[in-house]
Amino acid sequence: MSSIEDTAAPVPHGIHDAEVEQLFGAGGPLGGQVGSYRPRHSQTEMAKAIADAIAGQRTLIAEAGTGTGKTFAYLVPALLWGGKVIVSTGTKNLQDQLYLRDIPTVRKALSAPVSVALLKGRSNYVCHFHLERTLQNGRMTSRDDVAYLREISRFMKTTSSGDKAELSKVPETAPIWNLVTSTRDTCFGAECQYYQDCFVMKARKEAQQADIVVVNHHLFFADVALKDTGVAELLPTANTVIFDEAHQLPETATMFFGDTVSTSQVLELCRDVLAEGLSHARDGADWAKVVAPVEKAARDLRLAFPEDIVRLAVNQIAPSSVFFPALETLRDKMDEMIAVLEKQAERAETIEQCRTRAIELSHQLDSWNGAQDKATSEDGQAYVLWVEAFTSSLQLHRTPLSIAPIFNKQREGVPRAWIFTSATLAVKNDFNHYTSQMGLWDEPAQSWPSPFNYEQQGLLYVPNNLPQPNSFEYTDAVVDAALPAIIAAGGRTFLLCTTIRAVNRAAERLRQEFETRGLPFPLMVQGEAGRTELLDRFRAAGNGVLIGSQSFWEGVDVRGDALSLVIIDKLPFSPPDDPVLAARIAELEKQGLSGFMHHQLPAAIINLKQGAGRLIRDESDQGVLMICDPRLISKAYGRRIWQSLPPFKRTREIGAVEDFFARRAALAAAPDVAES
């Protein structure tokens, strides 16, 4: 790989504010391309600041209120002056939107001669080798999988990208994808017979040559940690790196800068060892007997915790627990399987690959177990060791206490512009929480207000007489308080909950109430269908009620009358049983700081701002934000929270909510009256 120091090209200096004003002005090029485009002061000022950071190859933290048009504010300077640009966004959906819609629009408006590439993780591209092997082996577990495999096989004859997002007939979550895509462990790289046709390699090559490369945060940080996604080769030549939805970075980076090993990885390996052993070395061993003890040991490790879902720091696990002996047993049984694979590895490349994977997993189990007595690693970084149990798998995590030092190391080297932007990075214009998480302490941060008239467009309603959020009957009380507001709004409601349990209870209650009262509102509940499908149904219904948890708090855009009421059940504080959170709070308190005021509260405010941001998406939107949590009023910190929210008018009376919707309905009906 070429060295970072000598490959980044110079970026033109001296971008003039007047040039930016002309581009974003009323008669500028954007107006001709974007039908609904209107100049916005905040957008123009933000674009100037970004252009300036690009010219000076500096860092900028840029918070822009909903409706500012931040995507165009960074794309215009990036396409004109950014040199080689990496744009990283929060999700694959947003990645596709940037690549398919936003960038082509701006490129056309500016007549900018830039090439653009989309780069996703390898699990998004069909693998020729694994598809062929699956077609031959036919290890299908359901009739659906057989039909899906036929579709994928057909798709391969016509696709030029191999990106599974193009094949809408096969759901993204279908298990068949695991059998027809590669992982870092199961890819043969240059040794593969299909290397010349490989879609992953093709996508990486296009990204190497493109001026603008669109990735997502998972991919960016997986690469920094694993060097497995092609970003490592891109970064040295990049002049500008832009993180959109940058508020998600601390969590994503934490996930990738740590290590995780799980029992499901072990079971997947056993499945492959059995299949490859039977295919290429049937006479070499009794393969069913080779994998059975490992599978049993992996399942026994999960069963060390009888509860359904568990999150425990390693020091919370009782020394007498069966967990530690079960972990030893799994490592012993893995060693026995590795010994068999060593003898048979030369019989086939795929068996050799299984051997390599088994050794790697065994090392991960060893290093997790060995790290229990050390709070810091060789590089002086502090880590938290913890376990997480799901219904049928167990994960062992080693998570950094702070990502700031690791991320700062990634930003060293050649000077380049780093832009961090989102609608939610600050708490009342204070960026300290975000900058300390990311290690961006002395970097410039600016905030631009939303162009929306929140005082006219919305109402913040905090109902009276709700019990404390930890009380047993809390969700029922929320539903009781919400019903009159839902009826006044005519459905058209998002009910955002902080837990899945609350989602299920609220759904049960509302289904019952709608039926009893004969209310005609279609109910959509997270988990009953995919997020995109639920949102499509919600928009189409026009009077629906959608109940969701964290995945509906952000990245969801429903404009117009279909969404008029957003109800938030309680302030989104992180669960107190989170071992990483507990360790971070303990660390802050060691430094004489308040874990609550310096970490939990700002994190909850940023999350709450995301949920509240679902309501007003457009200059013509109107609606009510209902926050049910009494702590917003009763606690001293409540003031800090609502001052960070959009400046809606505020009320504690349901009558004011009913009046708000009645006035809206009267205004909507007024033209019809005039016409008749």
Side-chain angles (χ1 to χ4, degrees):
M1 195 174 83
S2 51
S3 90
I4 285 187
E5 273 63 33
D6 58 11
T7 45
V11 174
H13 282 253
I15 299 159
H16 298 297
D17 284 358
E19 209 173 331
V20 177
E21 298 225 346
Q22 188 270 320
L23 290 166
F24 283 91
L30 292 171
Q33 279 302 318
V34 185
S36 58
Y37 182 78
R38 277 181 333 289
R40 297 169 208 169
H41 180 70
S42 287
Q43 185 182 47
T44 309
E45 292 305 305
M46 181 180 174
K48 285 180 192 172
I50 290 172
D52 191 49
I54 287 173
Q57 296 183 322
R58 290 189 299 273
T59 295
L60 175 68
I61 302 159
E63 181 184 68
T66 309
T68 305
K70 63 182 165 61
T71 309
F72 282 15
Y74 68 71
L75 282 180
V76 170
L79 266 62
L80 289 179
W81 307 295
K84 173 106 179 177
V85 181
I86 297 174
V87 181
S88 179
T89 189
T91 62
K92 283 185 286 192
N93 286 349
L94 287 169
Q95 211 185 336
D96 286 335
Q97 181 184 310
L98 266 174
Y99 177 72
L100 297 170
R101 195 182 76 192
D102 297 336
I103 294 176
T105 302
V106 175
R107 181 170 61 176
K108 193 174 173 192
L110 302 176
S111 304
V114 295
S115 54
V116 187
L118 180 67
L119 186 60
K120 295 182 181 178
R122 62 165 73 245
S123 64
N124 292 277
Y125 302 98
V126 183
C127 165
H128 291 83
F129 173 79
H130 286 284
L131 174 64
E132 184 183 309
R133 197 174 71 152
T134 304
L135 286 165
Q136 284 169 358
N137 292 358
R139 286 183 290 168
M140 300 302 101
T141 49
S142 73
R143 194 175 296 162
D144 277 351
D145 279 351
V146 175
Y148 292 152
L149 184 62
R150 202 174 301 128
E151 289 293 347
I152 294 168
S153 191
R154 233 178 259 147
F155 168 67
M156 283 293 268
K157 295 185 173 75
T158 56
T159 179
S160 59
S161 72
D163 183 349
K164 68 182 190 183
E166 290 176 12
L167 183 57
S168 55
K169 288 180 183 172
V170 181
E172 199 184 335
T173 51
I176 188 68
W177 288 120
N178 295 331
L179 298 177
V180 298
T181 53
S182 71
T183 64
R184 185 170 65 120
D185 295 331
T186 63
C187 171
F188 290 111
E191 305 295 308
C192 180
Q193 68 204 75
Y194 296 107
Y195 187 71
Q196 296 306 317
D197 304 315
C198 174
F199 292 123
V200 173
M201 291 305 138
K202 215 179 272 184
R204 289 183 185 179
K205 199 168 170 190
E206 279 173 22
Q208 285 293 322
Q209 294 160 356
D211 301 305
I212 312 284
V213 185
V214 184
V215 301
N216 62 56
H217 303 335
H218 277 250
L219 186 73
F220 189 93
F221 286 107
D223 191 87
V224 166
L226 306 172
K227 303 285 180 281
D228 179 46
T229 67
V231 175
E233 291 95 56
L234 292 176
L235 202 52
T237 59
N239 308 100
T240 305
V241 179
I242 299 171
F243 291 106
D244 196 349
E245 302 294 337
H247 63 279
Q248 297 175 2
L249 294 183
E251 200 174 317
T252 309
T254 297
M255 187 185 351
F256 283 108
F257 289 155
D259 296 309
T260 297
V261 58
S262 74
T263 56
S264 52
Q265 281 173 284
V266 175
L267 294 172
E268 262 171 44
L269 172 68
C270 289
R271 182 194 72 189
D272 290 347
V273 167
L274 181 61
E276 298 311 327
L278 292 174
S279 293
H280 302 289
R282 189 175 281 272
D283 57 341
D286 184 338
W287 292 100
K289 280 192 179 156
V290 171
V291 300
V294 183
E295 288 178 330
K296 181 180 185 306
R299 292 199 172 98
D300 286 349
L301 185 64
R302 165 63 193 92
L303 294 173
F305 302 99
E307 305 88 341
D308 245 12
I309 292 186
V310 180
R311 307 180 89 187
L312 290 173
V314 71
N315 57 10
Q316 292 176 300
I317 302 170
S320 59
S321 163
V322 295
F323 167 75
F324 296 105
L327 183 57
E328 287 294 333
T329 303
L330 176 58
R331 288 165 62 228
D332 293 345
K333 297 302 172 194
M334 287 280 288
D335 287 346
E336 288 169 20
M337 182 167 82
I338 290 166
V340 177
L341 288 168
E342 301 256 331
K343 288 185 190 139
Q344 304 299 324
E346 63 196 31
R347 307 270 299 263
E349 277 177 17
T350 48
I351 298 179
E352 166 58 27
Q353 194 181 57
C354 286
R355 182 188 77 87
T356 311
R357 279 166 67 192
I359 290 169
E360 171 67 20
L361 277 175
S362 185
H363 282 332
Q364 283 182 282
L365 290 169
D366 278 347
S367 75
W368 190 90
N369 204 29
Q372 286 178 55
D373 305 320
K374 301 192 297 247
T376 54
S377 65
E378 297 71 45
D379 57 5
Q381 174 69 37
Y383 285 90
V384 186
L385 285 174
W386 56 290
V387 302
E388 187 170 23
F390 301 96
T391 314
S392 56
S393 71
L394 183 80
Q395 295 185 341
L396 309 179
H397 300 279
R398 192 176 73 123
T399 303
L401 206 51
S402 166
I403 60 161
I406 317 175
F407 186 57
N408 265 335
K409 204 172 282 175
Q410 302 306 324
R411 293 175 62 239
E412 286 167 2
V414 74
R416 61 171 64 89
W418 294 84
I419 311 295
F420 300 82
T421 184
S422 164
T424 54
L425 294 173
V427 176
K428 237 185 96 193
N429 283 339
D430 176 351
F431 288 87
N432 273 334
H433 175 65
Y434 187 74
T435 54
S436 60
Q437 280 184 300
M438 296 298 294
L440 302 170
W441 295 285
D442 301 319
E443 302 294 5
Q446 274 178 272
S447 200
W448 290 272
S450 165
F452 300 154
N453 184 344
Y454 284 115
E455 210 170 314
Q456 293 300 311
Q457 290 178 251
L459 184 67
L460 170 61
Y461 167 47
V462 182
N464 280 301
N465 305 321
L466 275 173
Q468 285 307 303
N470 58 0
S471 62
F472 179 71
E473 72 281 8
Y474 185 73
T475 302
D476 285 302
V478 165
V479 172
D480 291 338
L483 261 168
I486 294 171
I487 292 166
R492 301 184 301 193
T493 300
F494 269 11
L495 170 50
L496 301 177
C497 301
T498 51
T499 63
I500 294 290
R501 186 184 294 149
V503 167
N504 295 334
R505 177 61 187 151
E508 187 186 331
R509 276 288 317 278
L510 282 180
R511 200 167 273 128
Q512 215 176 322
E513 295 286 352
F514 289 178
E515 205 173 308
T516 310
R517 298 168 186 238
L519 296 170
F521 310 137
L523 192 63
M524 292 107 197
V525 183
Q526 180 178 334
E528 291 180 356
R531 186 171 95 149
T532 309
E533 190 187 326
L534 286 175
L535 285 168
D536 288 346
R537 277 168 28 195
F538 180 83
R539 288 188 189 99
N543 66 338
V545 174
L546 188 150
I547 310 177
S549 69
Q550 191 57 51
S551 60
F552 286 91
W553 283 63
E554 55 181 278
V556 173
D557 192 8
V558 179
R559 292 169 190 233
D561 285 347
L563 178 59
S564 303
L565 172 64
V566 170
I567 304 170
I568 291 176
D569 72 337
K570 59 173 88 163
L571 299 174
F573 289 110
S574 296
D577 66 345
D578 183 326
V580 180
L581 176 68
R584 284 178 175 163
I585 288 170
E587 186 61 28
L588 282 167
E589 288 174 351
K590 246 188 250 171
Q591 297 165 28
L593 299 169
S594 155
F596 180 76
M597 293 306 287
H598 288 90
H599 189 84
Q600 284 169 288
L601 183 61
I605 291 174
I606 286 170
N607 203 350
L608 185 67
K609 280 170 71 175
Q610 276 293 332
R614 295 318 96 213
L615 182 64
I616 306 292
R617 307 295 302 167
D618 198 291
E619 270 97 342
S620 59
D621 278 356
Q622 293 194 327
V624 173
L625 172 64
M626 176 176 174
I627 301 180
C628 299
D629 197 320
R631 291 174 295 185
L632 197 61
I633 306 296
S634 64
K635 298 288 187 189
Y637 60 74
R639 182 181 179 82
R640 192 163 171 218
I641 296 175
W642 58 251
Q643 284 181 336
S644 296
L645 292 170
F648 297 125
K649 283 182 180 153
R650 297 196 299 277
T651 185
R652 304 218 56 198
E653 304 302 327
I654 185 63
V657 173
E658 289 165 338
D659 289 349
F660 179 94
F661 285 120
R663 275 198 310 278
R664 236 186 77 169
L667 280 172
D672 300 340
V673 173
E675 279 166 29
S676 60

